[in-house]
Amino acid sequence: MITWIGIDDTDTYDKGCTTYVMYNMLKEFLKTRGEWRIINYPRLIRLNPNVPFKTRGNAAVSVGLNIDDPREALELAEWAVDAFSHKVGKTSPGIVVSTSNNEHWIYWKALTDVIPLNTAIRWMNKLGVIYKGGRGVIGALASVMADLNLDSTLELLAYSELTPKPSIPINLIKKLNDSTSPLTFENMDDEYVLIQPHGNDPVVFGIRGDSPHHIIHFASMLMSEIDVEPRWLIYLTNQATGHHVSSIVNKPYTIGYVEGSVNDVKLVEGGNIEVNVNSTPVFSYRHYGFKSIDKATYLIAYGGFKPGINNLDLYMEGGFALIIKGTVKNPKCPRCGSGLESTGRVGLLKCPKCGLITGLPKLMNYASEFLLEEPRGSEVRHLHKPIVRVGLEGLVKAFNRPSLWII
Ligand code: ATP
């Protein structure tokens, strides 16, 4: 029987990582059980990036195990959470155990909306899902119910508890990025390295991509250059799928969408920009690097909706800027070549020199630019779908799980 375990909210802002709890749990499981009992990859699921109480990237993990007794799954998860979580401050670990994982509506809701704890508990009681712990059960449940049928990506996370983190030669990252892109992505942004988190968590590096073979090649080359015991795990994820923008709820702390003519552009504190679109203030942070938003005459923007002074403010995450510059001129007189002038009557022009009255149309010069507003690599949110992934949707399913998915 397949039993699904979900875990969330096990870390503090500067310590730990829920994925490390999963890594250690699976290593423990594999000590006595065969690899075939682990269904596909464990899942690393990013949820609503706008929930106010997330620590960092609002991640929750889950895995399907082939075991006969769900109580065994609960015991295993409890052991891992006790041993590897950091229960300080607002951390509120939660574990769920479920024999079904196809209530996908829960995932879509958790991705695009805020779910009160008692609502999640009501759902779990109805569905016969076992749960234990605090607020983390919301994310844990959503991770179990994740819908990765149409699109998903992979991320290999390499772990070490060494501090400071071992440094990785940037030239090697560049070289591997060039040789594996686009089947790995978001490794670098110009000279800025994106694969190594800077916090106190146990992640040495993370390689994201659509092909497990390219990811493992990348990771094994890096491992051979740094002096840590090789330990890693590949996750199936909803990262870089854009799933969070698939449903627009237009409520506080959810993804919002605004489209319309730009009424006003203001420079605000710190060089950030406020653009007024159809009476909605759209804020674009300078460090996001949106290039054309201050010149936009028409804006299509999506991002996080937060309560503002009068209504909801949109904190832009991406979109399109349309820059329209139109000019209208009178043509020259076709008889004598001098400039035609208005007659005061619509559709008629006259020549001041030879007196010709003509219905010649005005000369329209219409220039427009349609520009994609993508955040800088260093500012990209986990769920944001990068351009390089367009056309690769569903590719992950083409590859079997390779033997080095966990070491
Ligand atoms: P990290 O990225 O380091 O794992 P985090 O940003 O994932 O940290 P958590 O510590 O997991 O932050 O805390 C997020 C909390 O928000 C969890 O308790 C989770 O259950 C809850 N949560 C996630 N999504 C929603 C949602 N849509 N509605 C309500 N609660 C949610």
Side-chain angles (χ1 to χ4, degrees):
M1 183 172 70
I2 298 174
T3 301
W4 292 88
I5 303 176
I7 301 173
D8 194 11
D9 213 332
T10 66
D11 50 355
T12 55
Y13 193 73
D14 64 343
K15 208 151 190 231
C17 180
T18 304
T19 70
Y20 193 50
V21 175
M22 174 61 77
Y23 173 75
N24 285 292
M25 186 179 95
L26 293 182
K27 284 301 256 191
E28 184 64 24
F29 184 75
L30 287 170
K31 278 184 191 162
T32 53
R33 303 300 188 93
E35 215 176 297
W36 67 270
R37 284 185 180 271
I38 302 175
I39 310 303
N40 201 12
Y41 302 95
R43 288 114 57 94
L44 163 57
I45 303 300
R46 303 283 173 179
L47 300 168
N48 183 351
N50 301 300
V51 289
F53 29 79
K54 65 173 185 170
T55 316
R56 281 169 303 206
N58 203 5
V61 294
S62 55
V63 68
L65 298 180
N66 199 321
I67 41 180
D68 297 328
D69 186 353
R71 278 173 306 181
E72 192 191 333
L74 185 63
E75 261 169 44
L76 179 69
E78 280 184 298
W79 166 81
V81 168
D82 272 353
F84 295 97
S85 64
H86 292 269
K87 284 172 242 115
V88 201
K90 65 162 211 59
T91 307
S92 181
I95 300 169
V96 305
V97 173
S98 169
T99 49
S100 99
N101 77 329
N102 37 29
E103 303 292 333
H104 296 320
W105 58 273
I106 296 179
Y107 163 69
W108 292 109
K109 186 90 179 147
L111 198 59
T112 51
D113 209 341
V114 181
I115 302 170
L117 179 58
N118 53 8
T119 304
I121 288 178
R122 206 178 58 238
W123 293 341
M124 289 190 284
N125 287 336
K126 218 166 170 184
L127 294 168
V129 170
I130 304 169
Y131 54 91
K132 198 121 199 222
R135 196 185 50 224
V137 296
I138 307 169
L141 175 69
S143 176
V144 164
M145 301 303 174
D147 184 356
L148 301 177
N149 287 328
L150 289 182
D151 196 18
S152 59
T153 63
L154 300 170
E155 180 164 12
L156 176 151
L157 290 177
Y159 298 107
S160 163
E161 284 175 28
L162 265 191
T163 47
K165 291 185 192 209
S167 69
I168 310 171
I170 185 160
N171 284 343
L172 181 60
I173 302 176
K174 256 190 205 156
K175 209 169 110 194
L176 290 166
N177 179 48
D178 290 347
S179 62
T180 60
S181 170
L183 292 174
T184 71
F185 53 83
E186 285 170 358
N187 303 308
M188 309 222 27
D189 179 25
D190 292 329
E191 293 300 296
Y192 191 79
V193 171
L194 303 174
I195 62 168
Q196 193 163 45
H198 300 294
N200 239 342
D201 53 82
V203 176
V204 188
F205 60 78
I207 310 297
R208 286 161 279 218
D210 282 275
S211 149
H213 306 294
H214 291 74
I215 289 175
I216 288 175
H217 164 66
F218 201 130
S220 55
M221 296 292 281
L222 293 187
M223 271 296 174
S224 65
E225 291 286 325
I226 54 178
D227 188 17
V228 290
E229 189 201 339
R231 295 196 298 160
W232 74 46
L233 175 56
I234 298 184
Y235 291 88
L236 189 67
T237 87
N238 62 347
Q239 292 172 165
T241 59
H243 274 184
H244 64 314
V245 290
S246 56
S247 150
I248 305 289
V249 190
N250 278 350
K251 285 197 327 195
Y253 307 114
T254 68
I255 279 285
Y257 173 90
V258 171
E259 174 178 348
S261 299
V262 171
N263 309 118
D264 188 25
V265 178
K266 270 193 267 180
L267 253 187
V268 290
E269 214 180 311
N272 304 320
I273 290 170
E274 179 184 340
V275 185
N276 192 292
V277 179
N278 282 343
S279 314
T280 302
V282 176
F283 291 95
S284 154
Y285 287 126
R286 186 173 53 112
H287 60 264
Y288 262 57
F290 296 132
K291 290 186 201 76
S292 321
I293 181 163
D294 54 335
K295 291 174 224 80
T297 51
Y298 193 91
L299 189 68
I300 297 170
Y302 65 88
F305 255 146
K306 293 200 185 141
I309 300 171
N310 299 318
N311 210 325
L312 292 175
D313 294 345
L314 187 96
Y315 289 80
M316 192 162 155
E317 202 184 309
F320 294 95
L322 189 60
I323 305 170
I324 305 168
K325 291 182 218 112
T327 55
V328 184
K329 277 199 316 202
N330 289 342
K332 292 226 154 66
C333 174
R335 199 192 284 161
C336 72
S338 36
L340 293 175
E341 288 176 356
S342 166
T343 55
R345 285 174 58 203
V346 178
L348 282 185
L349 298 169
K350 76 166 191 273
C351 177
K353 202 162 166 200
C354 69
L356 176 77
I357 306 273
T358 168
L360 269 181
K362 296 191 173 209
L363 300 172
M364 309 282 287
N365 187 357
Y366 189 80
S368 71
E369 268 181 278
F370 192 60
L371 295 151
L372 177 64
E373 294 284 359
E374 277 252 283
R376 278 197 187 108
S378 51
E379 297 298 334
V380 159
R381 282 191 155 174
H382 296 284
L383 284 158
H384 178 84
K385 182 170 173 176
I387 290 290
V388 294
R389 276 212 73 245
V390 173
L392 299 184
E393 299 83 359
L395 183 65
V396 165
K397 283 199 203 147
F399 304 101
N400 290 331
R401 184 177 75 181
S403 58
L404 286 177
W405 69 280
I406 187 167
I407 55 172

